[in-house]
Amino acid sequence: MTKESKPDRLRQMGALNPKPEGVRAPWFREAGFFDPLDLVQVKYEMLRHAREEGTNKADAAALFGLSRQTYYQAEAAFERDGMSGLLPRTRGPKSAHKLTGEVMRLVEEHLDANGQLQARSLADLVHARLGISVHPRSIERAVARKKKTMKSRRTQSPCRRAARMFTKRSAPRLFAARLARGAWAPSSSTDCGAAWQC
């Protein structure tokens, strides 16, 4: 079994500096603790150098082979999240941003009568009616999420609701009151496993 090198691990994490030769800070040129391949360490040292040594931001960015824009992004991320803000983030949208309420209403209106999903034809319909290009798989995922939330919102059985309501103090009093009203009746076979009909 081969051991992974540090550059391989940095590449997997997205933290490999694409231009290590651009780092001109003398302490990075000496072999040892500072590694110009480690982009997180380079960004941190750039911020530290500007803040502690009083170097202006443009010069600090140039010394570490990074742009001013990268400096300002790193500075904001560090102030917001500390060291973890310098770690690489996944790019791209974080949610189904094209599937607005209007798009989902159109999709729900045009599902087959039996609830079958024809995602490709629905994507074409959304594009034709609203001018929004949506991938069919995005529609499938959104409909599945909607079904899942609807399923979890269905009312629970009376036994489960009662189990949540009862506490050690209120259980005997509430139980007696419901039994007196005929809310529960003894049964030999039940869904909830107790000897009461749900």
Side-chain angles (χ1 to χ4, degrees):
M1 189 159 55
T2 60
K3 187 176 178 182
E4 279 186 295
S5 66
K6 182 177 179 181
D8 290 336
R9 288 192 308 274
L10 289 171
R11 186 176 296 109
Q12 288 173 353
M13 291 174 43
L16 181 67
N17 188 357
K19 299 178 184 175
E21 66 281 354
V23 179
R24 294 178 297 131
W27 54 96
F28 274 87
R29 295 197 172 258
E30 303 163 4
F33 178 77
F34 295 103
D35 185 359
L37 293 172
D38 188 344
L39 189 58
V40 174
Q41 188 179 49
V42 169
K43 287 180 180 179
Y44 177 78
E45 282 299 309
M46 173 185 65
L47 295 174
R48 188 199 62 75
H49 185 67
R51 188 174 287 173
E52 299 298 319
E53 307 297 325
T55 307
N56 74 42
K57 297 173 182 185
D59 290 343
L63 182 64
F64 288 88
L66 300 171
S67 67
R68 283 188 329 194
Q69 180 181 3
T70 301
Y71 180 92
Y72 289 113
Q73 288 172 346
E75 183 180 46
F78 185 75
E79 287 176 4
R80 183 182 60 245
D81 300 324
M83 194 69 161
S84 65
L86 299 179
L87 294 171
R89 299 261 190 259
T90 56
R91 291 172 170 79
K94 307 297 184 267
S95 65
H97 63 284
K98 291 184 179 180
L99 298 176
T100 61
E102 182 182 17
V103 171
M104 288 310 296
R105 278 190 295 279
L106 182 65
V107 167
E108 289 168 5
E109 287 172 8
H110 290 86
L111 284 175
D112 286 353
N114 59 359
Q116 291 294 342
L117 178 67
Q118 302 296 325
R120 186 159 309 280
S121 61
L122 288 170
D124 292 340
L125 177 71
V126 168
H127 189 267
R129 290 250 184 109
L130 303 174
I132 300 172
S133 179
V134 179
H135 195 277
R137 184 67 184 121
S138 296
I139 293 174
E140 290 171 354
R141 287 189 190 114
V143 170
R145 276 193 305 270
K146 177 95 173 172
K147 284 181 181 177
K148 186 175 181 180
T149 57
M150 294 304 288
K151 185 177 181 181
S152 67
R153 289 182 184 173
R154 288 187 187 143
T155 57
Q156 294 177 345
S157 69
C159 289
R160 288 185 188 221
R161 280 197 308 264
R164 280 187 290 132
M165 288 183 348
F166 284 162
T167 62
K168 287 183 180 179
R169 284 186 183 175
S170 65
R173 183 175 39 84
L174 290 172
F175 178 74
R178 287 181 183 243
L179 188 59
R181 287 195 317 258
W184 289 319
S187 171
S188 56
S189 65
T190 63
D191 293 343
C192 61
W196 296 93
Q197 184 174 354
C198 297

